[in-house]
Amino acid sequence: MGKALAFLLALIGGIVVVGWVVHAIIGPLFYLILVALAVVGGVYLYSKAKKSLAPGTRTQNRIEAAQKTYRMRNR
């Protein structure tokens, strides 16, 4: 009975220590991956917004038409 209890305590202690070491290694790595994903997402959204306002797109043509109308009205 004593050996089984000692083995069980050693097993639980080993699991706790391994979990602590893995958490210490993977914890910062997780946040690094999270920041990298946020940066990539920001770059993606910026490029999509920039392309939507590129010359010749429908949105850009509407903006230019509105500016022209505004200038003609406020002469």
Side-chain angles (χ1 to χ4, degrees), residues 18-38:
V18 168
W20 179 73
V21 170
V22 169
H23 177 70
I25 292 171
I26 293 182
L29 185 63
F30 173 75
Y31 289 111
L32 185 65
I33 291 170
L34 196 66
V35 168
L37 286 175

Side-chain angles (χ1 to χ4, degrees), residues 51-62:
K51 282 182 184 178
S52 72
L53 295 175
T57 60
R58 182 172 185 261
T59 305
Q60 182 63 34
N61 292 340
R62 290 179 65 210

Side-chain angles (χ1 to χ4, degrees), residues 35-53:
V35 168
L37 286 175
V39 169
V40 169
V43 169
Y44 174 75
L45 290 176
Y46 174 76
S47 66
K48 292 290 275 186
K50 191 172 179 181
K51 282 182 184 178
S52 72
L53 295 175

